[in-house]
Amino acid sequence: MKRQIPLAFVFAFAVIMIIQYFVPSDLSMNVNEFLLKWIYIIGIFALALGIWSLIRVSYMKIRLKKPDWGYSIITLAGLFSMFIFGFDYGRHFFSSEGLKNYMFLGFFDNILIPIQATMFALLAFFIASAAYRAFRARSILATLLLLSAMIVMLRFNPYLGPIGEYMEKTASWLLNVPNLAAKRAIIIGVGLGGVATALKVMLGIERAYLGKD
Amino acid sequence: MKLKILMLCCIMFLGAVSAGLAQGNIDTSSQTTTPTISPPASPGNLRAKDTPNDNGHSITLSWDLSSDDGSGNKSVLGYKIFRSTNRDSGFVERGVSPSGSKEYVDLGGASAEENDYMPNNSDYYYKLRAITADSMIFAEMAIFGPIQTTGQWYNTSRTLILLFVLLFTSLMVYFIVKARKGANLFVRKLAGIEAVDVAIGRATEMGKPILYVLGLGTAADIATIASFTILGRVAKKVAEYQTGLIVPCNDPIVMTVAQETVRASYLDAGRPEAYKENMVYFATSMQFPYVAAVNGTMLRELPATNIYMGKFYAESLLLAETGALAGSIQIAGTDEVAQIPFFVVACDYTLIGEELYAASAYLGREPVLLGSLKAQDYAKAAIIVLAIIGMIAANFHWNNFTEIFHITN
Amino acid sequence: MSGSRPWGKIILFSSIALFVISWLIKAGVLSSTGGVTDISVRDAFFVTLAAFLTLAILSFLYKDNPYYKFAEHLFVGVSAAYWMCVGFWSTFVGNFIPRVSSTLSGFFGVPFKEFNVFYLIPLILGVMLLMRLSSKTGWIARWPLAFIVGTTAGLNLIRYLRSDFVNQVSNTFVPLLVEWKGIGPFFSGFSLSASGQFTLSLTNWVIFVGTFCGLVYFFFSKEHKGFYGGASRLGIWVLMVTFGASFGYTVMGRVSLLVGRLTFLFQDWLGLIS
Amino acid sequence: MNKVGLLISFGLIGAGLLWFLIRAIRGQEVERRIIFVFIGLAVAVPILFNITFSEKASPIVEAVYDKIENLSSGSKILISYDYGPSMAPEVEPMSNAFLRHSLAKGHKVYIMGLWATGQSLAGAAIENIVKKEFPEKVNGVDYVNLGYKAGNQGVLNVIITDIRKMYLTDVAGVNLDSMPIMKNVKSLRDMDLLISVGGGLPGVKEWVQFAGDPGHIPMAGGSAAVSAPLLYPYWPTQLVGLLGGIKGAAEYESELVRNYPRFAKMPQPGVKMMGPQTLAHLVIMAFIVIGNISYFIIRRRQG
């Protein structure tokens, strides 16, 4: 009962979605639309579960005075202030509705966006340190990796003269020809593995996600 | 004297003639600045049919070109399509098809909420107008109708996909059944997976936890589902060795599923009491805040091993470099092609693409799972054969063959 | 913040002081360039906040520190609430409420469409998911999970088969001898230019051999020995060359991101460059 | 200022790298924070001190430049804006440079777009560049903005035989026949050079396939870095030349500034962006070399 019904669910809905793909009628379109919308709506409940987990972990940290517990207060403060701004519905604190709330947008533009962009920009540093650490001619594979990366990066050297042009051509060949071949091999493999895994899920062979008992 | 008079006459005559001609010239030149386009020949043979392989709400029209389209006096700019539910009146413009085109798909809305709702099984009438640069000059084609739209119950253009679904499913079922009967199936070594056991042992020796990152995928992504299986194995080993486990999640449903998985593994290992709900927690569902949190965790908890399995995007290198900084052994696996290079560069072991899916089968060593690997290999061999045939076909322009694989709808 | 407490405090106080100074100066600059004072003060606060958070994240490059921890924890809290709010207003209020209740639609100020009983199913499934919070009823949460996993497994099966499999296979259908019209024309038109018949054919060969060897590398049930060994080794070489090239190519994009961040600091905040 | 800044920053970064090279030869690894500092400097210094490199145009870029330069004054050049705002930072410098060069050389410029978003970007370019920098140029005489027409490559199929089948007026609604610039222009075949600037679909490739090739019209392009490699094979037979990514734009801008004193003060976003890019790439490559040297030295010592 605890496992059979979910497994039957998985099989039934997977089969419905597969059949749906081959049936173009209105009914089939509606089924597709409904099922996908349902997932979004369930997602909201799941998000509530997630927020609950976040609050609980933070609260436990504060209550047990674990290391760095003070920062958990900041998490909760950020969370609840954003909630208050975001759920403010025109009748409480500010004049505009939730998502257009001035502070909500202000937090989004000036806390989320800059931190997000800066985290992303850290990649410029990390890509350099990773290159330094890993691009060493340890083995044939590592050497190939190193050489092709160097050739592509040499595009940005203005002092190479005629060699630069040759490098540029080699780089564009690398990005065009072997790149296409390798990506195609990976994608075909991923496609097959994906289909196989989806089938295993459907047939209930792969069911770690359902837990036990 | 006579000659002089004659010449004078001649000049007068010529002058008159040239003046007359000049007059005429002015007329013609004024005509060329505002050219009058003669009405084009009307297009012919308007036909209409219900658009195939759809849910209805659409009609496909075709016609023969006007003789002034591309040839004749080349005045046709395009064709306007009109539709009505009545033969005699109420025609509404549906669209314009450029000159030289012989077909137009009139696509209506599928539900009453959409503006141009076109209910199925009711009558429609069409007419076609060849238009010119002057909006007042055109040629109309006779009205066609009535015609009805209907939804189909099978999309014939997708038969190839159906064929592949059936073929692949039977291939898999065949090998799984064969594996169940006890056939010995060989599976090659996957360095990344062999490393998992060693890494867990190392973590136990060091007394440090293992960090397992499921990536940014949702519970619906196949890569994440494969990752759940691997997480299950890792968690079981961790429970046996009594090592710590940290699983920060990006998606709340993934968190829920991961909690189930880990709890089941602890149960399997006979240590249900060691399972703590807080091992698997929700960080946040935005990409970079999640990375910020995981990076912080790596530097504070200093896990012995970081395992990244699932869907990863730009954060792959951020995570892997921070992990390297913390001195952890790192094992990664993703099917996200663009991110594989960064994992390969920054991690100790990387499962490339399909290897991630194979890993879950490999770890289990269950015959059913290994059987599916065998089926995948046969499918790959079949692809190679297909590709070779396809290339020969392309070389000699056997378009009938290559067209089969060209799925447009 | 443990070992060097006095230093930590000095740095903390000076950064707070710097924040306030920056705020005041920025507000002064903004209002002097013709703005309403109230708005200038608010905008100046936000620009300064953004700049300090940017610096706090960058400080991670030196080492984990209290400023990074502050930014990180704030980031986590704010972003979690952000998604919840967006999800609530756009999906729950936007898509769900107008289909189930006219009273609630009125309350949230969205136009009520029509009652649709099918929309109650995700509500039930959602509530089942919340049952997880109790350990006794937790197993019920598997039903909605099974629904989601099943639906998307079916969807993904087709998607993978179509876009990653059939489309990629049909993309391999390129002629190995481009524009073949017999041996004579092929060699009489022989040229080494990039768009020449010979080069195009060679390119197709390389792509084919690369794909072939790559696929052989992904053979799991064959031991990589003999022919398979050779082909799979060539396959992994091609993969590595590709990975190196992609890595090298991405550097440009990442540097651009850093340029964008530093431009923000130098231009929008400090006003050093125009 | 530029030279001094360049010298100082190069000197500092170079000296630092040399120091770590010597350390590497002694068998010492570089700490990652050092690498971070170098990357930070390599990006920040060019932004702060506006350090730019004079880009030497590669042959594929030079070919476009020479083509526009060598056409006799008054030739007809068509520039198609095939991009939207998201791609603009990368390819707008190219279309701007083409526009400036063509007008400065006295060519007649025909502007159009296969992307709806291109029309407003082209309009902005006319406002900001043509009207401000070339006040003597007259709309309808020296340049015309035909605007956007829907239909992707289908548009090309039509205008390759007759422009007026698609365009009866320019973007402002002025009849084409009333414009001196459109006199004796019937189809794309009357153009002396076609230029498409874009990076998506339709883009340079479609222009080559549906206009340049079938009409035997000289064709040049500017493309985002991502799609540029796919276009290289068309050069030099089907494309006169190509600008790939911000680097191509920078090379073209440099060439323009070098040869036209009037453009000395023009904004060079391509060149500006290349400063940090070039330095950062050089620094990364230098550290890869240093890393390999120390790796081999340590290995030899150990083994």
Side-chain angles (χ1 to χ4, degrees):
Chain A
M1 173 74 176
K2 285 180 184 177
R3 268 171 84 94
Q4 270 71 13
I5 289 182
L7 284 176
F9 259 47
V10 169
F11 183 77
F13 281 106
V15 170
I16 289 174
M17 285 310 277
I18 291 173
I19 292 175
Q20 180 276 133
Y21 177 77
F22 297 100
V23 179
S25 78
D26 269 339
L27 175 71
S28 146
M29 294 279 182
N30 286 340
V31 166
N32 180 23
E33 190 192 327
F34 267 123
L35 292 187
L36 294 183
K37 261 190 188 157
W38 290 1
I39 293 180
Y40 284 120
I41 294 168
I42 298 173
I44 299 294
F45 289 90
L47 208 49
L49 269 186
I51 301 272
W52 171 250
S53 161
L54 180 66
I55 292 173
R56 200 185 50 180
V57 170
S58 302
Y59 172 73
M60 292 301 274
K61 246 188 179 172
I62 296 167
R63 210 187 67 177
L64 300 174
K65 294 241 155 65
K66 285 194 179 171
D68 289 337
W69 62 272
Y71 295 103
S72 294
I73 299 177
I74 294 163
T75 302
L76 293 181
L79 183 81
F80 285 114
S81 45
M82 201 65 173
F83 267 142
I84 291 169
F85 302 142
F87 280 96
D88 149 41
Y89 193 64
R91 18 199 118 173
H92 310 297
F93 307 98
F94 294 90
S95 53
S96 47
E97 68 175 278
L99 298 183
K100 291 184 197 119
N101 178 297
Y102 178 81
M103 287 303 282
F104 187 79
L105 289 178
F107 269 39
F108 179 74
D109 288 338
N110 298 291
I111 294 179
L112 285 187
I113 294 295
I115 300 187
Q116 174 129 338
T118 316
M119 284 299 296
F120 208 170
L122 287 183
L123 277 171
F125 297 97
F126 284 175
I127 210 166
S129 65
Y132 169 76
R133 195 164 48 83
F135 285 160
R136 305 213 166 162
R138 286 193 193 94
S139 60
I140 296 177
L141 293 184
T143 313
L144 286 172
L145 197 69
L146 157 73
L147 284 180
S148 67
M150 284 292 259
I151 289 170
V152 173
M153 278 195 275
L154 274 174
R155 286 174 307 148
F156 280 91
N157 192 327
Y159 305 108
L160 277 179
I163 312 169
E165 188 201 328
Y166 184 71
M167 286 295 167
E168 173 116 28
K169 276 190 177 162
T170 318
S172 82
W173 184 81
L174 282 177
L175 289 168
N176 255 321
V177 181
N179 193 18
L180 191 64
K183 294 232 160 102
R184 191 169 285 164
I186 297 177
I187 290 174
I188 290 177
V190 164
L192 274 178
V195 173
T197 311
L199 269 175
K200 284 189 278 183
V201 167
M202 244 179 91
L203 300 174
I205 297 170
E206 189 135 346
R207 51 182 163 192
Y209 63 92
L210 278 183
K212 276 231 163 82
D213 74 25
Chain B
M1 187 64 193
K2 270 186 180 172
L3 197 71
K4 273 187 181 168
I5 293 167
L6 196 69
M7 275 176 71
L8 202 71
C9 289
C10 280
I11 290 168
M12 279 169 68
F13 175 74
L14 281 173
V17 169
S18 60
L21 279 179
Q23 194 69 31
N25 265 348
I26 290 163
D27 281 341
T28 40
S29 67
S30 72
Q31 260 171 8
T32 45
T33 47
T34 48
T36 42
I37 304 167
S38 52
S42 92
N45 196 13
L46 179 65
R47 287 144 290 170
K49 60 171 196 236
D50 173 44
T51 309
N53 295 328
D54 68 353
N55 58 338
H57 315 291
S58 169
I59 294 285
T60 302
L61 298 155
S62 54
W63 58 87
D64 296 343
L65 293 185
S66 156
S67 58
D68 288 324
D69 181 354
S71 55
N73 57 23
K74 297 184 182 174
S75 54
V76 173
L77 276 187
Y79 301 93
K80 265 187 188 163
I81 288 90
F82 296 86
R83 186 184 77 202
S84 171
T85 48
N86 190 321
R87 176 180 285 275
D88 306 314
S89 60
F91 279 91
V92 179
E93 184 185 328
R94 295 293 300 158
V96 185
S97 189
S99 61
S101 60
K102 295 175 177 177
E103 203 182 78
Y104 181 84
V105 178
D106 180 22
L107 192 62
S111 73
E113 289 163 23
E114 290 170 59
N115 302 335
D116 48 355
Y117 178 46
M118 215 174 148
N120 282 342
N121 305 320
S122 56
D123 289 350
Y124 297 102
Y125 298 87
Y126 281 91
K127 68 178 181 186
L128 187 70
R129 178 184 288 179
I131 53 167
T132 64
D134 188 331
S135 63
M136 299 309 290
I137 298 170
F138 52 80
E140 255 179 28
M141 164 91 214
I143 291 161
F144 185 94
I147 178 95
Q148 294 191 333
T149 62
T150 44
Q152 278 76 44
W153 286 99
Y154 177 67
N155 188 338
T156 51
S157 66
R158 291 174 174 174
T159 304
L160 183 76
I161 304 270
L162 181 65
L163 203 69
F164 274 118
V165 170
L166 296 176
L167 268 177
F168 195 70
T169 311
S170 34
L171 198 65
M172 252 187 63
V173 171
Y174 171 76
F175 276 106
I176 288 171
V177 169
K178 201 173 158 190
R180 274 219 172 110
K181 280 184 185 155
N184 194 18
L185 297 175
F186 170 84
V187 175
R188 79 165 159 94
K189 275 187 180 170
L190 287 168
I193 285 304
E194 306 266 298
V196 168
D197 286 350
V198 179
I200 296 172
R202 179 172 174 263
T204 319
E205 278 169 30
M206 294 168 71
K208 283 182 176 170
I210 285 175
L211 180 76
Y212 194 102
V213 181
L214 286 149
L216 290 193
T218 63
D221 280 307
I222 302 287
T224 315
I225 291 181
S227 183
F228 287 138
T229 311
I230 301 172
L231 172 64
R233 312 283 172 199
V234 170
K236 196 175 162 197
K237 275 263 156 57
V238 164
E240 283 163 6
Y241 288 152
Q242 304 190 36
T243 314
L245 181 67
I246 308 171
V247 188
C249 296
N250 174 261
D251 180 284
I253 297 180
V254 168
M255 174 200 74
T256 316
V257 176
Q259 282 173 345
E260 283 287 321
T261 312
V262 172
R263 200 156 56 99
S265 298
Y266 271 74
L267 207 69
D268 254 6
R271 309 184 53 84
E273 76 289 350
Y275 171 75
K276 303 270 184 306
E277 192 91 317
N278 286 359
M279 283 174 170
V280 184
Y281 61 91
F282 174 76
T284 174
S285 43
M286 229 167 146
Q287 181 184 17
F288 287 105
Y290 174 70
V291 179
V294 176
N295 277 357
T297 310
M298 277 186 210
L299 291 190
R300 279 156 227 156
E301 308 282 342
L302 297 172
T305 306
N306 302 330
I307 302 176
Y308 314 103
M309 301 276 172
K311 277 245 177 266
F312 290 87
Y313 301 98
E315 72 281 2
S316 58
L317 189 65
L318 280 174
L319 294 170
E321 267 302 282
T322 312
L325 175 70
S328 317
I329 284 192
Q330 306 200 86
I331 305 166
T334 186
D335 66 350
E336 199 54 46
V337 182
Q339 299 307 323
I340 298 173
F342 302 105
F343 277 141
V344 167
V345 167
C347 292
D348 300 278
Y349 301 95
T350 307
L351 299 172
I352 300 168
E354 197 185 358
E355 288 181 327
L356 169 67
Y357 301 121
S360 64
Y362 183 79
L363 268 174
R365 290 250 155 222
E366 286 170 28
V368 255
L369 294 175
L370 294 180
S372 80
L373 280 185
K374 194 87 191 163
Q376 275 163 255
D377 280 1
Y378 272 90
K380 264 171 279 181
I383 286 174
I384 293 173
V385 173
L386 257 180
I388 292 172
I389 298 173
M391 282 185 300
I392 295 170
N395 213 49
F396 298 110
H397 307 289
W398 302 339
N399 293 337
N400 289 345
F401 180 80
T402 46
E403 276 304 306
I404 298 173
F405 286 83
H406 196 71
I407 297 169
T408 48
N409 177 10
Chain C
M1 269 204 270
S2 55
S4 51
R5 221 161 234 289
W7 275 111
K9 268 193 184 147
I10 290 168
I11 295 173
L12 178 66
F13 284 126
S14 47
S15 32
I16 291 173
L18 276 175
F19 185 93
V20 174
I21 292 167
S22 156
W23 180 7
L24 292 177
I25 292 175
K26 198 77 202 172
V29 171
L30 284 179
S31 59
S32 72
T33 50
V36 185
T37 317
D38 270 11
I39 293 173
S40 301
V41 168
R42 269 198 305 210
D43 287 353
F45 173 78
F46 275 139
V47 169
T48 312
L49 181 68
F52 270 75
L53 289 174
T54 301
L55 291 175
I57 294 290
L58 285 177
S59 74
F60 183 70
L61 292 170
Y62 178 64
K63 64 172 190 183
D64 189 25
N65 64 72
Y67 299 94
Y68 175 77
K69 284 183 200 171
F70 174 84
E72 173 207 320
H73 283 83
L74 182 67
F75 199 21
V76 166
V78 170
S79 64
Y82 175 78
W83 274 115
M84 187 73 205
C85 295
V86 171
F88 180 81
W89 290 115
S90 62
T91 306
F92 199 75
V93 175
N95 260 327
F96 176 69
I97 298 282
R99 297 294 196 171
V100 290
S101 158
S102 61
T103 340
L104 280 174
S105 297
F107 178 75
F108 287 115
V110 281
F112 179 68
K113 284 193 179 144
E114 61 184 314
F115 179 75
N116 189 327
V117 72
F118 286 114
Y119 278 84
L120 289 178
I121 298 172
L123 181 72
I124 297 164
L125 288 172
V127 171
M128 281 173 147
L129 196 65
L130 291 182
M131 299 282 212
R132 271 195 57 80
L133 292 175
S134 148
S135 58
K136 267 184 197 160
T137 54
W139 58 273
I140 295 179
R142 286 176 191 165
W143 290 28
L145 289 181
F147 162 73
I148 291 174
V149 170
T151 310
T152 46
L155 200 67
N156 278 325
L157 189 137
I158 296 290
R159 214 192 52 194
Y160 274 100
L161 199 65
R162 185 181 165 161
S163 61
D164 290 352
F165 187 83
V166 176
N167 282 358
Q168 288 298 328
V169 171
S170 73
N171 282 346
T172 61
F173 294 174
V174 289
L176 286 176
L177 297 165
V178 178
E179 288 170 36
W180 180 254
K181 292 185 189 85
I183 298 173
F186 186 77
F187 283 104
S188 64
F190 188 87
S191 90
L192 281 175
S193 77
S195 55
Q197 208 180 349
F198 175 76
T199 320
L200 290 179
S201 303
L202 188 70
T203 303
N204 287 351
W205 272 99
V206 173
I207 293 175
F208 169 65
V209 172
T211 312
F212 173 78
C213 294
L215 280 176
V216 170
Y217 169 77
F218 287 116
F219 272 16
F220 296 107
S221 60
K222 271 268 179 270
E223 208 158 354
H224 285 176
K225 274 184 185 163
F227 171 71
Y228 289 106
S232 79
R233 192 160 321 123
L234 189 58
I236 189 79
W237 286 2
V238 174
L239 291 184
M240 283 298 160
V241 167
T242 310
F243 294 158
S246 308
F247 189 98
Y249 194 77
T250 316
V251 173
M252 181 179 72
R254 301 306 184 235
V255 171
S256 300
L257 293 170
L258 184 57
V259 170
R261 242 22 244 156
L262 292 184
T263 310
F264 164 76
L265 286 181
F266 296 151
Q267 189 174 311
D268 299 0
W269 180 44
L270 295 174
L272 288 176
I273 51 170
S274 53
Chain D
M1 173 60 206
N2 195 344
K3 279 255 165 71
V4 177
L6 187 79
L7 224 62
I8 293 176
S9 56
F10 251 52
L12 275 176
I13 294 176
L17 288 174
L18 203 65
W19 166 244
F20 287 103
L21 181 67
I22 293 167
R23 279 171 52 109
I25 293 170
R26 290 193 194 144
Q28 281 165 307
E29 291 280 346
V30 183
E31 211 210 325
R32 80 174 61 215
R33 284 173 208 166
I34 307 278
I35 301 174
F36 293 162
V37 169
F38 272 90
I39 291 290
L41 285 177
V43 176
V45 170
I47 300 177
L48 272 178
F49 300 105
N50 197 14
I51 293 168
T52 54
F53 297 90
S54 167
E55 295 283 334
K56 170 94 184 63
S58 50
I60 193 167
V61 172
E62 181 124 39
V64 189
Y65 183 88
D66 289 347
K67 179 75 190 177
I68 296 183
E69 191 63 30
N70 295 336
L71 282 173
S72 58
S73 175
S75 296
K76 305 183 184 76
I77 297 183
L78 182 137
I79 304 177
S80 182
Y81 282 63
D82 305 329
Y83 58 88
S86 68
M87 226 182 288
E90 205 179 349
V91 296
E92 195 158 50
M94 300 176 193
S95 53
N96 288 347
F98 289 141
L99 192 59
R100 284 194 172 98
H101 191 188
S102 307
L103 288 173
K105 186 71 192 161
H107 297 314
K108 295 190 190 319
V109 180
Y110 303 78
I111 294 169
M112 61 170 282
L114 294 181
W115 282 43
T117 41
Q119 180 169 317
S120 58
L121 292 167
I126 289 173
E127 285 300 317
N128 298 327
I129 294 173
V130 181
K131 292 201 175 152
K132 286 193 182 136
E133 293 177 26
F134 301 89
E136 74 282 4
K137 300 284 178 189
V138 182
N139 188 3
V141 179
D142 302 300
Y143 65 92
V144 58
N145 184 3
L146 297 170
Y148 156 80
K149 284 282 184 259
N152 296 347
Q153 49 267 39
V155 174
L156 301 181
N157 264 336
V158 175
I159 62 176
I160 194 169
T161 54
D162 192 350
I163 289 179
R164 285 175 183 78
K165 273 196 183 166
M166 268 291 165
Y167 293 95
L168 288 172
T169 66
D170 77 348
V171 75
V174 181
N175 191 334
L176 291 190
D177 290 323
S178 68
M179 294 182 182
I181 194 172
M182 292 306 290
K183 214 173 170 186
N184 300 327
V185 173
K186 182 171 186 292
S187 73
L188 287 184
R189 289 174 212 261
D190 296 315
M191 297 288 155
D192 297 298
L193 178 66
L194 306 176
I195 302 175
S196 162
V197 181
L201 202 132
V204 181
K205 195 174 162 192
E206 283 67 33
W207 271 94
V208 171
Q209 289 174 337
F210 292 91
D213 258 9
H216 304 289
I217 315 160
M219 165 92 217
S223 151
V226 191
S227 39
L230 300 170
L231 296 168
Y232 285 131
Y234 292 113
W235 181 69
T237 44
Q238 290 144 293
L239 275 175
V240 171
L242 179 78
L243 274 58
I246 203 77
K247 186 167 161 56
E251 290 174 8
Y252 204 93
E253 284 169 359
S254 288
E255 199 75 2
L256 206 52
V257 170
R258 210 174 2 255
N259 296 318
Y260 285 85
R262 67 180 294 179
F263 291 134
K265 287 221 156 62
M266 79 171 202
Q268 301 174 53
V271 171
K272 232 178 189 170
M273 192 66 177
M274 279 304 287
Q277 289 286 3
T278 309
L279 271 186
H281 276 80
L282 284 176
V283 165
I284 293 177
M285 284 188 282
F287 274 113
I288 294 176
V289 171
I290 290 173
N292 275 288
I293 290 173
S294 63
Y295 169 70
F296 278 109
I297 290 192
I298 293 169
R299 199 173 67 167
R300 182 176 295 170
R301 230 179 256 173
Q302 286 169 344

